[in-house]
Structures are given as C-alpha cells and as structure tokens.
Amino acid sequence: MSLKIVYKICCGIDVHKTFVVACIASTNDKGITSYESHRFSTYTSGLKTLLQWLLKHNCKDVCMESTGKYWIPIYNILENDCSIVLAHPKYVKAIRGKKTDKKDAKWIADLFKHDLVAGSFMPPADIRQLRDLMRYRFKLTCFKSSEKNRLQNCLTVSNIQLGNVVSDTFGKSAQAIPDKLLENPADTSFYLKPLVYKSLKKKLPELRDAIDGYITPEQVGKLKVIKAHYESLESRKAELEELILALASPYQQELAILKTAPGIRSLFTAIGIISEIGTNIEAFPSAKHLCSWAGLTPTNNESTGEKKSVRVSKAGCYIKPLPVQCANAIVTSKKHPEIRNRYLRLKKRRGHKKAIIAIARMLLTALYHMLKNGENYNAELYRKYDLPPTNWEITVEQAIIIAKNQGYKIKSATA
C-alpha cells in the first residue's frame, strides 16, 4: 500500500540567505514521479525567474521551510500566483547524513505531494504589516524599560535615593528633581517645593534627605545621555503608534468587540491580538486549535502509557504574553467574579502559574468565539457554566474527597 498523492505537480523549496533550491515533483497517471531541480538567486530578479519557471511547469502548489526572515522575499514574489504552504523547519528536516541542498528540496517536495506537511498560519498581507509594527512597538517598550533601569542605577550609585520616597521615579515630580540636579550637580540645597506636586509636598523632609548625594561628572554625562535616549525612544514610539492606528482603522468593529473582554482596556492590546490571530478566525477550526497554536495547551509527550511532561509548549512567544497579562490583571480585581473564582479554585490545587495559564486559555477561548460570532463578552455564559447540574449524583467516597479538599475533617457518625 502506498501513500495517496494529493498534489500531482508541486514544488519544494530549500531556502538560504543568498540562494534557494527548488525541486518540482511531477506525478503522471501511472503514479511515477519525476523530479526537476534548479537553483535561483534570492535577488528579486532571481525570484521572478523562479516564478516564471514554476508557471512554465504549471506548478502552483509550493512548500518551503521558514528559515529566519529569508522566506519572506520569496513569499512576497510567489504569493499572488501560487498557493504556498510555509512549514516549520523541524517538520521538514531531512535525515541526518543524507542532507544536501538538492536532497532537502526533493525531500520537502516528497512530503508535500502526500500532504504530510503541517502549514503555518499566514494572515493576509495587511495583518502581517500590522503584526510587524506591533512587534517593533513591543521592542521599543522594552528599550524604554531598560533605559529607566539604567537611570535608576545611576541615581543609586550617586547616593540619590528617590526610589525610596516616590512610587514612580518617572513621574512628573520625580523627573523634575533630577533635571534640577543636572543643572548644577554640586548644589543639592535648592528649593524643592515648586518642583513637587500633590501628596509629595508632605514628604519634603524625606525628599531632602533622598537627594543629598554625590554625583560624579561621569555620572552626570551618563544621566544626560540616558535621558536624551529615553526621550528619543518616546518620540519614536509615538510616531510608530500613529502608523499602527492608521493601519488598524479598518478593524474598528473587531477592536470594539475585543475591548469588551475583561482585562483588555488598552486599544493597543486589542490591536496586538488582531495583529497576531487576524480577523478571519475561520483559519482556526476551533478554539482548541487557536489555544494550541498560541502555546496555552499542554504538549503531548507520552510513552509506554506514561505522560512524561504536561508543560505548555514554547509556541506563541508573541501572542501568549497578551492573554497572560490580561489574566493577571483580571484575577486581582473583583469586577469579574466568574473568572476570579475559577482562578482561586485552580490555585488551591495547581498553584498560581498553572492557574494563570488556565485563565489565559479561558480568555483566549472567549476571544475566539467573540470574533467568530461578532458578539460582545457575556459573563452570564460563564456563570451558567459554573452552576452544578440539578441531577448531579456522586458516591459517598467522592463526597468525602470533596469535603477533605475543602478543609473539613472527617469523623465517624458514632463519635
């Protein structure tokens, strides 16, 4: 018995930085497959030649591995004329010791013609552009956090303990004081009251002690560079956010639906979710598929009837933090008891980390159905689900176990 050939004419592409190797597998009516390989440059002219070569052989089904960022130029050229399946390299890796560029391309074509390659999720081009901008915004946010830490370290080594008095060292008052210090580092006896606002006016003696330090000329120079870099990052991030808002304007309806979900207050959080999973939620057959793709489900690692690991997978490194952050915000608030109560029940048995992952999956499942049905978040559905059924029957042994889990001590009736 042989495997069924799904694609009679298909192409496997082995991707590299400066060149690609393409192999067309053509299967005739007798089931005999012939192969033709060719090497192309990754310059645009070379990729256009690759497209013409594919169309000449009437090959419109293409499979290639996602090597770094090198697959993107190829995808851009072939996207409009070919049906492309993008595969993770671990799913199309050839047998060790029998690897050459031509054999790799032939191996990909052989797997693909039998439909044995699991394709990666590829949203439309506009969503991909939005995704790229949102990921860069996340990087800029991380850079800003790094600069904040560096500025705080400079103040600490200079014996300036502002962090012990103010809750936010980058607040309006907290930033006015270092600015004044940098004007004349040798003078720490300036008048503080005009620089502080609101409740900090009650802490003037503590602030006076906190700024009584010694800033070396080197630290002064470093502080000025850090502040200039931080302000530049803020400006660049604001410019980037304008681009993102313009690109996300066609998805106002989906964004409005997502903002009704618990934990999603910021518009950019909703845009981040749209940029990762897209608006056509039908690309995922079910909510379970979406949660698995986002890395919020346990991996399957079982042998000889024994499960070796139940840890969540490493997938979804960009989408996973979003529902996890929302889940952490929800469980500390009492505005959504249907979620908080479930978290508390899970935390008793499994601990905080596993409970948060479960709540994040619960939230992502809700977002899937909200986008699919075009409906706002409805807490009543969760409340009805949590109610015990009226005809629920349990044994005496099960009742004893439930009572013990609730902290009750079981004693005999005769006692």
Side-chain angles (χ1 to χ4, degrees), residues 50-228:
L50 167 62
L51 175 60
Q52 295 302 320
W53 183 68
L54 292 173
L55 296 178
K56 178 183 176 182
H57 289 80
N58 196 28
C59 178
K60 294 190 175 182
D61 295 304
V62 177
C63 178
M64 63 178 176
E65 59 180 358
S66 57
T67 306
K69 296 288 184 181
Y70 303 139
W71 61 270
I72 297 178
I74 306 164
Y75 196 96
N76 293 338
I77 298 297
L78 304 183
E79 181 179 11
N80 295 328
D81 297 287
C82 299
S83 175
I84 306 174
V85 172
L86 188 68
H88 194 287
K90 69 179 180 180
Y91 296 133
V92 293
K93 189 175 182 179
I95 300 171
R96 187 175 182 181
K98 297 184 178 180
K99 279 176 57 62
T100 63
D101 295 333
K102 284 189 176 181
K103 287 183 178 180
D104 283 348
K106 180 176 179 293
W107 174 254
I108 295 172
D110 281 334
L111 290 176
F112 184 55
K113 74 177 181 181
H114 296 299
D115 198 21
L116 296 177
V117 180
S120 302
F121 167 62
M122 286 299 297
D126 52 347
I127 294 291
R128 295 202 303 270
Q129 294 296 332
L130 186 62
R131 173 189 288 184
D132 183 57
L133 295 181
M134 282 301 297
R135 291 181 178 180
Y136 183 47
R137 178 181 178 272
F138 173 73
K139 294 293 184 184
L140 290 181
T141 304
C142 293
F143 292 154
K144 285 180 60 180
S145 299
S146 298
E147 291 304 308
K148 282 184 176 182
N149 293 335
R150 291 187 184 98
L151 188 140
Q152 180 59 49
N153 290 339
C154 281
L155 295 177
T156 302
V157 299
S158 301
N159 290 13
I160 297 175
Q161 305 295 338
L162 271 180
N164 296 347
V165 182
V166 300
S167 57
D168 181 14
T169 53
F170 274 75
K172 191 173 181 180
S173 300
Q175 281 302 292
I177 295 172
D179 290 343
K180 186 69 175 178
L181 277 172
L182 291 178
E183 292 178 6
N184 186 6
D187 180 22
T188 59
S189 60
F190 52 84
Y191 193 44
L192 279 174
K193 192 171 182 179
L195 302 177
V196 299
Y197 302 88
K198 296 182 180 179
S199 60
L200 275 180
K201 290 187 176 180
K202 301 177 183 178
K203 300 181 180 180
L204 287 177
E206 294 179 52
L207 282 173
R208 175 61 61 193
D209 293 336
I211 66 171
D212 185 17
Y214 175 70
I215 309 179
T216 62
E218 294 77 15
Q219 292 297 323
V220 170
K222 184 179 178 182
L223 278 170
K224 289 180 179 179
V225 171
I226 291 172
K227 286 183 68 65

Side-chain angles (χ1 to χ4, degrees), residues 297-303 306-313 350 354:
T297 57
T299 53
N300 291 326
N301 187 11
E302 184 178 343
S303 181
E306 179 184 354
K307 284 190 175 181
K308 297 185 179 297
S309 174
V310 291
R311 298 174 70 91
V312 294
S313 67
R350 308 302 300 274
K354 291 183 179 179

Side-chain angles (χ1 to χ4, degrees), residues 304-356:
T304 64
E306 179 184 354
K307 284 190 175 181
K308 297 185 179 297
S309 174
V310 291
R311 298 174 70 91
V312 294
S313 67
K314 295 181 180 179
C317 60
Y318 289 101
I319 179 65
K320 189 190 300 183
L322 294 175
V324 170
Q325 289 171 6
C326 293
N328 276 300
I330 298 167
V331 298
T332 57
S333 171
K334 296 182 179 179
K335 293 182 179 179
H336 300 280
E338 74 281 359
I339 297 178
R340 177 177 167 81
N341 293 340
R342 183 171 296 187
Y343 162 77
L344 294 175
R345 291 198 301 268
L346 290 169
K347 184 182 177 183
K348 286 181 182 178
R349 297 185 288 111
R350 308 302 300 274
H352 167 74
K353 290 184 178 180
K354 291 183 179 179
I356 281 294

Side-chain angles (χ1 to χ4, degrees), residues 19-66:
F19 68 92
V20 298
V21 177
C23 177
I24 293 179
S26 303
T27 307
N28 58 23
D29 296 335
K30 296 181 181 180
I32 299 174
T33 303
S34 58
Y35 302 92
E36 182 176 348
S37 299
H38 204 283
R39 175 170 166 164
F40 300 91
S41 167
T42 53
Y43 293 122
T44 303
S45 58
L47 297 179
K48 288 182 177 178
T49 305
L50 167 62
L51 175 60
Q52 295 302 320
W53 183 68
L54 292 173
L55 296 178
K56 178 183 176 182
H57 289 80
N58 196 28
C59 178
K60 294 190 175 182
D61 295 304
V62 177
C63 178
M64 63 178 176
E65 59 180 358
S66 57

